[in-house]
Amino acid sequence: MDIIKQSWPWYAAGPLIGLIVPALLLLGNKTFGISSTLRQICAACIPADISFFKYDWKKETWNLFFIAGIVIGGFIAAHLLSNPGPVGINPKTTGALQQQGIKDFTGLLPQDIFSFRGLATLKGFVFIVIGGFLVGFGTRYAGGCTSGHAIMGISSLQWPSLVATCCFMIGGFVMTWLILPYLLQL
Amino acid sequence: MKNLKFLLVGMCFGIILIKSEVISWFRIQEMFRLQSFHMYGIIGSAIVVAMISILLIKRFNIKTIHQEAIIIPDKQFNWGYVYGGLIFGLGWALTGACPGPIFAQIGSGILVTSVTLLSAIAGTWVYGLLREKLPH
Protein backbone atom coordinates (compact mmCIF):
# COMPACT_ATOMS: atom_id res chain seq x y z
CA MET A 1 0.00 0.00 0.00
CA ASP A 2 2.89 2.33 0.80
CA ILE A 3 4.24 1.90 -2.73
CA ILE A 4 0.87 2.89 -4.18
CA LYS A 5 0.59 5.90 -1.90
CA GLN A 6 3.95 7.33 -2.89
CA SER A 7 4.17 9.20 -6.14
CA TRP A 8 4.87 6.77 -8.96
CA PRO A 9 8.16 6.86 -10.89
CA TRP A 10 8.12 7.35 -14.64
CA TYR A 11 9.08 3.75 -15.41
CA ALA A 12 5.93 2.53 -13.67
CA ALA A 13 3.50 5.20 -14.87
CA GLY A 14 4.66 5.45 -18.49
CA PRO A 15 4.23 1.76 -19.41
CA LEU A 16 0.85 1.69 -17.63
CA ILE A 17 -0.29 4.65 -19.75
CA GLY A 18 1.03 2.83 -22.80
CA LEU A 19 -1.17 -0.16 -21.98
CA ILE A 20 -4.29 2.02 -22.24
CA VAL A 21 -3.74 1.99 -26.03
CA PRO A 22 -4.12 -1.80 -26.53
CA ALA A 23 -6.82 -1.91 -23.83
CA LEU A 24 -9.03 0.49 -25.81
CA LEU A 25 -8.28 -1.27 -29.09
CA LEU A 26 -9.08 -4.71 -27.69
CA LEU A 27 -12.18 -3.59 -25.80
CA GLY A 28 -13.84 -1.98 -28.79
CA ASN A 29 -11.56 -0.79 -31.58
CA LYS A 30 -11.21 2.64 -29.99
CA THR A 31 -8.17 4.82 -30.59
CA PHE A 32 -6.77 6.64 -27.57
CA GLY A 33 -7.34 10.39 -27.58
CA ILE A 34 -8.94 12.82 -25.19
CA SER A 35 -9.30 16.13 -27.00
CA SER A 36 -12.02 14.74 -29.28
CA THR A 37 -14.25 14.67 -26.22
CA LEU A 38 -14.21 18.47 -26.21
CA ARG A 39 -15.65 18.38 -29.72
CA GLN A 40 -18.19 15.82 -28.49
CA ILE A 41 -19.29 18.15 -25.72
CA CYS A 42 -19.67 21.01 -28.23
CA ALA A 43 -21.67 18.80 -30.59
CA ALA A 44 -23.92 17.60 -27.78
CA CYS A 45 -24.44 20.90 -25.96
CA ILE A 46 -23.72 23.88 -28.22
CA PRO A 47 -23.76 22.74 -31.88
CA ALA A 48 -25.05 26.15 -33.07
CA ASP A 49 -25.54 24.89 -36.62
CA ILE A 50 -21.76 24.72 -37.19
CA SER A 51 -20.96 21.97 -39.70
CA PHE A 52 -17.94 20.79 -37.65
CA PHE A 53 -20.32 19.86 -34.83
CA LYS A 54 -23.00 18.25 -37.00
CA TYR A 55 -22.18 14.56 -36.84
CA ASP A 56 -23.58 11.59 -35.02
CA TRP A 57 -21.86 12.25 -31.69
CA LYS A 58 -24.02 9.64 -29.96
CA LYS A 59 -22.04 6.95 -31.79
CA GLU A 60 -18.95 8.08 -29.89
CA THR A 61 -20.35 8.28 -26.38
CA TRP A 62 -17.73 5.79 -25.22
CA ASN A 63 -15.23 8.61 -24.87
CA LEU A 64 -17.58 10.55 -22.59
CA PHE A 65 -17.58 7.49 -20.32
CA PHE A 66 -13.80 7.46 -20.60
CA ILE A 67 -13.44 11.06 -19.39
CA ALA A 68 -16.02 10.49 -16.63
CA GLY A 69 -13.73 7.65 -15.56
CA ILE A 70 -10.73 10.00 -15.53
CA VAL A 71 -12.60 12.35 -13.18
CA ILE A 72 -13.49 9.46 -10.86
CA GLY A 73 -9.93 8.12 -11.04
CA GLY A 74 -8.63 11.58 -10.14
CA PHE A 75 -10.94 11.62 -7.12
CA ILE A 76 -9.86 8.15 -5.98
CA ALA A 77 -6.16 8.90 -6.37
CA ALA A 78 -6.39 12.21 -4.55
CA HIS A 79 -8.58 11.03 -1.68
CA LEU A 80 -7.75 7.38 -1.12
CA LEU A 81 -4.24 6.96 -2.48
CA SER A 82 -2.81 10.36 -1.78
CA ASN A 83 0.67 11.39 -1.01
CA PRO A 84 0.47 14.50 1.18
CA GLY A 85 3.92 15.86 0.34
CA PRO A 86 4.63 18.48 -2.30
CA VAL A 87 5.65 17.42 -5.82
CA GLY A 88 9.33 16.50 -5.75
CA ILE A 89 10.53 18.69 -8.56
CA ASN A 90 14.09 19.65 -9.32
CA PRO A 91 15.29 22.39 -6.93
CA LYS A 92 16.55 24.28 -9.99
CA THR A 93 12.99 24.52 -11.28
CA THR A 94 11.74 25.60 -7.87
CA GLY A 95 14.48 28.21 -7.64
CA ALA A 96 13.80 29.61 -11.10
CA LEU A 97 10.06 29.78 -10.49
CA GLN A 98 10.61 31.43 -7.11
CA GLN A 99 12.69 34.12 -8.77
CA GLN A 100 9.85 34.64 -11.20
CA GLY A 101 7.35 35.14 -8.41
CA ILE A 102 5.80 31.75 -7.60
CA LYS A 103 5.49 31.44 -3.82
CA ASP A 104 3.37 28.39 -3.09
CA PHE A 105 4.81 24.97 -3.98
CA THR A 106 2.56 22.83 -1.78
CA GLY A 107 0.02 21.43 -4.26
CA LEU A 108 0.03 20.08 -7.79
CA LEU A 109 -0.51 23.56 -9.21
CA PRO A 110 0.72 26.91 -7.87
CA GLN A 111 -2.15 28.22 -5.81
CA ASP A 112 -1.04 31.82 -6.23
CA ILE A 113 -2.41 31.48 -9.76
CA PHE A 114 -4.71 28.45 -9.92
CA SER A 115 -7.42 29.23 -7.39
CA PHE A 116 -10.75 31.01 -7.55
CA ARG A 117 -9.08 33.91 -5.74
CA GLY A 118 -6.37 33.89 -8.40
CA LEU A 119 -8.94 33.74 -11.16
CA ALA A 120 -10.14 37.21 -10.20
CA THR A 121 -6.69 38.63 -11.03
CA LEU A 122 -5.34 39.39 -14.47
CA LYS A 123 -2.60 36.79 -14.01
CA GLY A 124 -5.06 34.05 -13.07
CA PHE A 125 -7.32 34.99 -15.97
CA VAL A 126 -4.45 34.70 -18.44
CA PHE A 127 -3.22 31.35 -17.11
CA ILE A 128 -6.61 29.72 -16.61
CA VAL A 129 -8.93 31.25 -19.18
CA ILE A 130 -6.56 32.16 -22.03
CA GLY A 131 -4.49 29.04 -21.35
CA GLY A 132 -7.56 26.80 -21.44
CA PHE A 133 -8.73 28.46 -24.64
CA LEU A 134 -5.36 27.84 -26.33
CA VAL A 135 -5.48 24.20 -25.23
CA GLY A 136 -8.97 23.67 -26.65
CA PHE A 137 -8.44 25.64 -29.85
CA GLY A 138 -4.94 24.28 -30.48
CA THR A 139 -5.72 20.61 -29.91
CA ARG A 140 -8.69 20.67 -32.22
CA TYR A 141 -6.80 22.62 -34.88
CA ALA A 142 -3.98 20.07 -34.54
CA GLY A 143 -6.44 17.18 -34.65
CA GLY A 144 -5.32 15.78 -31.29
CA CYS A 145 -3.36 16.31 -28.10
CA THR A 146 -0.61 14.49 -26.23
CA SER A 147 -2.71 11.33 -25.97
CA GLY A 148 -4.01 11.26 -29.56
CA HIS A 149 -0.83 12.38 -31.32
CA ALA A 150 2.16 11.86 -29.03
CA ILE A 151 1.10 8.48 -27.67
CA MET A 152 -1.47 6.94 -30.04
CA GLY A 153 -0.18 8.56 -33.23
CA ILE A 154 3.55 8.03 -32.82
CA SER A 155 3.13 4.48 -31.49
CA SER A 156 1.11 3.58 -34.58
CA LEU A 157 3.90 5.08 -36.72
CA GLN A 158 1.98 8.05 -38.14
CA TRP A 159 4.49 10.68 -39.15
CA PRO A 160 1.97 13.58 -39.06
CA SER A 161 1.58 12.87 -35.34
CA LEU A 162 5.33 13.17 -34.88
CA VAL A 163 5.18 16.59 -36.57
CA ALA A 164 2.29 17.63 -34.31
CA THR A 165 4.13 16.43 -31.19
CA CYS A 166 7.27 18.38 -32.13
CA CYS A 167 5.09 21.47 -32.53
CA PHE A 168 3.53 20.85 -29.09
CA MET A 169 7.03 20.89 -27.62
CA ILE A 170 8.15 23.97 -29.57
CA GLY A 171 5.04 25.86 -28.42
CA GLY A 172 5.74 24.82 -24.83
CA PHE A 173 9.39 25.89 -24.99
CA VAL A 174 8.46 29.26 -26.49
CA MET A 175 5.91 29.86 -23.74
CA THR A 176 8.17 28.72 -20.90
CA TRP A 177 11.33 30.53 -21.96
CA LEU A 178 10.13 33.61 -23.83
CA ILE A 179 6.62 34.52 -22.67
CA LEU A 180 6.03 33.04 -19.22
CA PRO A 181 8.58 35.26 -17.40
CA TYR A 182 6.52 38.28 -18.46
CA LEU A 183 3.16 36.71 -17.66
CA LEU A 184 4.35 35.76 -14.18
CA GLN A 185 5.04 39.45 -13.52
CA LEU A 186 1.42 40.44 -14.22
CA MET B 1 -24.01 -0.90 -20.38
CA LYS B 2 -21.41 -1.60 -23.04
CA ASN B 3 -19.64 1.68 -22.30
CA LEU B 4 -18.98 0.92 -18.65
CA LYS B 5 -15.70 -0.80 -19.47
CA PHE B 6 -14.40 2.48 -20.90
CA LEU B 7 -15.33 4.17 -17.64
CA LEU B 8 -13.13 1.64 -15.84
CA VAL B 9 -10.21 2.19 -18.22
CA GLY B 10 -10.66 5.94 -17.73
CA MET B 11 -10.51 5.45 -13.95
CA CYS B 12 -7.19 3.65 -14.26
CA PHE B 13 -5.89 6.42 -16.48
CA GLY B 14 -7.05 9.09 -14.03
CA ILE B 15 -5.33 7.35 -11.12
CA ILE B 16 -2.07 7.02 -13.08
CA LEU B 17 -2.17 10.69 -14.11
CA ILE B 18 -2.44 11.82 -10.49
CA LYS B 19 -0.05 9.31 -8.96
CA SER B 20 2.66 10.05 -11.51
CA GLU B 21 2.16 13.81 -11.06
CA VAL B 22 1.69 14.24 -14.80
CA ILE B 23 -1.12 16.66 -14.00
CA SER B 24 1.17 18.92 -12.00
CA TRP B 25 1.91 22.34 -13.43
CA PHE B 26 5.32 22.12 -11.76
CA ARG B 27 6.15 18.90 -13.57
CA ILE B 28 5.26 20.46 -16.92
CA GLN B 29 7.46 23.45 -16.11
CA GLU B 30 10.30 21.12 -15.16
CA MET B 31 9.89 19.34 -18.50
CA PHE B 32 9.97 22.51 -20.59
CA ARG B 33 12.97 23.77 -18.60
CA LEU B 34 14.78 20.48 -19.34
CA GLN B 35 15.41 19.99 -15.63
CA SER B 36 13.97 16.53 -15.25
CA PHE B 37 13.62 13.31 -17.16
CA HIS B 38 10.31 12.45 -15.45
CA MET B 39 7.83 13.62 -18.12
CA TYR B 40 10.04 12.53 -21.01
CA GLY B 41 10.38 9.12 -19.39
CA ILE B 42 6.62 8.79 -18.98
CA ILE B 43 5.71 9.88 -22.50
CA GLY B 44 8.61 7.95 -24.04
CA SER B 45 7.96 4.67 -22.23
CA ALA B 46 4.22 4.98 -22.89
CA ILE B 47 4.96 5.30 -26.61
CA VAL B 48 7.32 2.30 -26.55
CA VAL B 49 4.83 0.06 -24.73
CA ALA B 50 1.95 1.19 -26.98
CA MET B 51 4.09 0.65 -30.08
CA ILE B 52 5.05 -2.89 -29.06
CA SER B 53 1.39 -3.65 -28.27
CA ILE B 54 0.24 -2.41 -31.67
CA LEU B 55 2.98 -4.38 -33.44
CA LEU B 56 1.89 -7.53 -31.59
CA ILE B 57 -1.77 -6.89 -32.42
CA LYS B 58 -0.88 -6.51 -36.10
CA ARG B 59 1.63 -9.37 -36.20
CA PHE B 60 -0.75 -11.89 -34.63
CA ASN B 61 -3.92 -10.41 -36.11
CA ILE B 62 -5.42 -10.10 -32.64
CA LYS B 63 -9.12 -9.21 -32.69
CA THR B 64 -11.25 -7.20 -30.29
CA ILE B 65 -13.20 -8.98 -27.56
CA HIS B 66 -16.14 -8.84 -29.97
CA GLN B 67 -14.08 -10.64 -32.62
CA GLU B 68 -13.79 -7.60 -34.86
CA ALA B 69 -10.61 -6.86 -36.78
CA ILE B 70 -8.66 -4.00 -35.17
CA ILE B 71 -8.42 -0.95 -37.40
CA ILE B 72 -6.28 2.11 -36.70
CA PRO B 73 -7.22 4.91 -39.10
CA ASP B 74 -4.29 6.72 -40.77
CA LYS B 75 -3.84 10.41 -40.07
CA GLN B 76 -3.59 12.63 -43.14
CA PHE B 77 -1.14 15.47 -42.69
CA ASN B 78 -2.42 19.03 -42.92
CA TRP B 79 -0.79 22.26 -41.80
CA GLY B 80 -3.26 22.55 -38.97
CA TYR B 81 -1.08 20.00 -37.17
CA VAL B 82 1.71 22.59 -37.16
CA TYR B 83 -0.30 25.74 -36.39
CA GLY B 84 -2.62 24.01 -33.95
CA GLY B 85 0.28 22.12 -32.39
CA LEU B 86 2.17 25.34 -31.67
CA ILE B 87 -0.95 26.95 -30.19
CA PHE B 88 -1.62 23.93 -28.00
CA GLY B 89 2.00 23.96 -26.84
CA LEU B 90 1.63 27.55 -25.64
CA GLY B 91 -1.51 26.60 -23.71
CA TRP B 92 0.09 23.43 -22.34
CA ALA B 93 2.93 25.38 -20.70
CA LEU B 94 0.49 28.01 -19.38
CA THR B 95 -2.11 25.72 -17.84
CA GLY B 96 0.22 22.81 -17.11
CA ALA B 97 -2.42 20.52 -18.54
CA CYS B 98 -3.46 18.74 -21.69
CA PRO B 99 -7.10 17.71 -22.11
CA GLY B 100 -6.83 14.39 -20.20
CA PRO B 101 -5.12 15.86 -17.14
CA ILE B 102 -7.72 18.65 -16.92
CA PHE B 103 -10.36 16.02 -16.12
CA ALA B 104 -8.08 14.35 -13.56
CA GLN B 105 -7.35 17.72 -11.94
CA ILE B 106 -11.07 18.40 -11.56
CA GLY B 107 -11.61 14.94 -10.07
CA SER B 108 -8.76 15.43 -7.61
CA GLY B 109 -10.58 18.45 -6.23
CA ILE B 110 -8.76 21.32 -7.93
CA LEU B 111 -12.09 22.79 -8.91
CA VAL B 112 -10.79 25.98 -10.48
CA THR B 113 -9.61 23.88 -13.42
CA SER B 114 -13.24 23.37 -14.36
CA VAL B 115 -12.88 26.94 -15.62
CA THR B 116 -9.88 25.76 -17.67
CA LEU B 117 -12.10 23.01 -19.08
CA LEU B 118 -14.95 25.41 -19.96
CA SER B 119 -12.42 27.65 -21.65
CA ALA B 120 -10.98 24.69 -23.58
CA ILE B 121 -14.50 23.77 -24.71
CA ALA B 122 -14.96 27.38 -25.82
CA GLY B 123 -11.67 27.16 -27.72
CA THR B 124 -12.81 24.00 -29.49
CA TRP B 125 -16.11 25.67 -30.33
CA VAL B 126 -14.40 28.74 -31.78
CA TYR B 127 -12.17 26.44 -33.85
CA GLY B 128 -15.31 24.79 -35.23
CA LEU B 129 -16.74 28.20 -36.03
CA LEU B 130 -13.61 29.45 -37.83
CA ARG B 131 -12.51 26.15 -39.31
CA GLU B 132 -13.28 26.96 -42.93
CA LYS B 133 -11.36 30.25 -42.77
CA LEU B 134 -8.23 28.83 -41.12
CA PRO B 135 -5.23 27.57 -43.11
CA HIS B 136 -4.85 23.80 -42.98
Side-chain angles (χ1 to χ4, degrees):
Chain A
M1 202 59 192
D2 274 353
I3 293 176
I4 293 176
K5 284 202 167 184
Q6 286 164 4
S7 62
W8 299 356
W10 66 265
Y11 48 83
L16 287 172
I17 292 175
L19 288 175
I20 307 266
V21 167
L24 293 178
L25 287 171
L26 295 173
L27 287 174
N29 239 334
K30 310 297 186 198
T31 50
F32 183 42
I34 314 280
S35 61
S36 51
T37 57
L38 302 176
R39 182 186 181 195
Q40 286 276 96
I41 294 168
C42 288
C45 304
I46 30 174
D49 209 32
I50 295 169
S51 62
F52 188 61
F53 300 124
K54 282 195 272 185
Y55 63 98
D56 190 5
W57 61 270
K58 284 182 186 152
K59 268 190 168 169
E60 295 292 323
T61 41
W62 76 273
N63 66 20
L64 299 178
F65 280 81
F66 188 61
I67 53 169
I70 297 176
V71 175
I72 298 169
F75 180 87
I76 293 172
H79 291 89
L80 305 176
L81 309 169
S82 76
N83 159 29
V87 178
I89 51 170
N90 188 331
K92 279 187 198 160
T93 311
T94 317
L97 286 170
Q98 255 163 352
Q99 275 190 352
Q100 293 177 355
I102 301 270
K103 296 181 196 82
D104 191 341
F105 289 85
T106 50
L108 289 163
L109 293 94
Q111 284 166 30
D112 326 336
I113 304 169
F114 293 91
S115 62
F116 284 104
R117 195 165 33 85
L119 186 58
T121 64
L122 176 63
K123 195 200 280 187
F125 181 85
V126 169
F127 278 77
I128 299 168
V129 179
I130 309 279
F133 188 91
L134 293 174
V135 167
F137 186 89
T139 52
R140 203 69 267 122
Y141 198 173
C145 55
T146 21
S147 52
H149 276 314
I151 296 177
M152 184 71 215
I154 294 178
S155 70
S156 58
L157 308 175
Q158 319 242 1
W159 68 267
S161 286
L162 185 61
V163 174
T165 305
C166 290
C167 292
F168 296 166
M169 295 307 295
I170 294 169
F173 285 122
V174 168
M175 175 56 75
T176 300
W177 290 93
L178 304 179
I179 308 175
L180 206 70
Y182 297 99
L183 295 181
L184 283 169
Q185 304 304 321
L186 287 176
Chain B
M1 289 305 281
K2 64 182 170 58
N3 281 322
L4 222 49
K5 52 186 183 279
F6 298 114
L7 186 102
L8 289 174
V9 180
M11 275 172 61
C12 297
F13 187 44
I15 291 173
I16 303 164
L17 288 176
I18 300 269
K19 292 310 303 176
S20 61
E21 299 170 345
V22 169
I23 67 151
S24 166
W25 186 89
F26 298 114
R27 283 286 185 201
I28 304 296
Q29 273 300 305
E30 205 184 32
M31 167 177 75
F32 285 129
R33 287 166 195 264
L34 299 173
Q35 287 165 337
S36 168
F37 181 70
H38 186 80
M39 288 295 299
Y40 295 101
I42 288 183
I43 298 175
S45 60
I47 292 172
V48 170
V49 168
M51 195 181 287
I52 295 169
S53 314
I54 291 173
L55 289 174
L56 290 175
I57 286 173
K58 287 188 174 161
R59 175 74 182 76
F60 295 103
N61 245 330
I62 299 172
K63 302 219 168 7
T64 69
I65 54 168
H66 306 295
Q67 295 304 312
E68 294 163 18
I70 288 177
I71 301 157
I72 301 170
D74 278 329
K75 294 185 196 277
Q76 297 299 321
F77 178 79
N78 68 62
W79 284 95
Y81 287 18
V82 172
Y83 308 132
L86 293 171
I87 294 169
F88 165 62
L90 296 173
W92 189 13
L94 260 185
T95 61
C98 4
I102 294 177
F103 291 106
Q105 286 175 346
I106 295 171
S108 78
I110 308 169
L111 294 180
V112 73
T113 51
S114 52
V115 179
T116 316
L117 174 63
L118 289 176
S119 211
I121 292 170
T124 302
W125 190 85
V126 170
Y127 169 73
L129 184 71
L130 302 178
R131 187 163 175 263
E132 252 105 272
K133 300 189 185 84
L134 293 169
H136 279 90

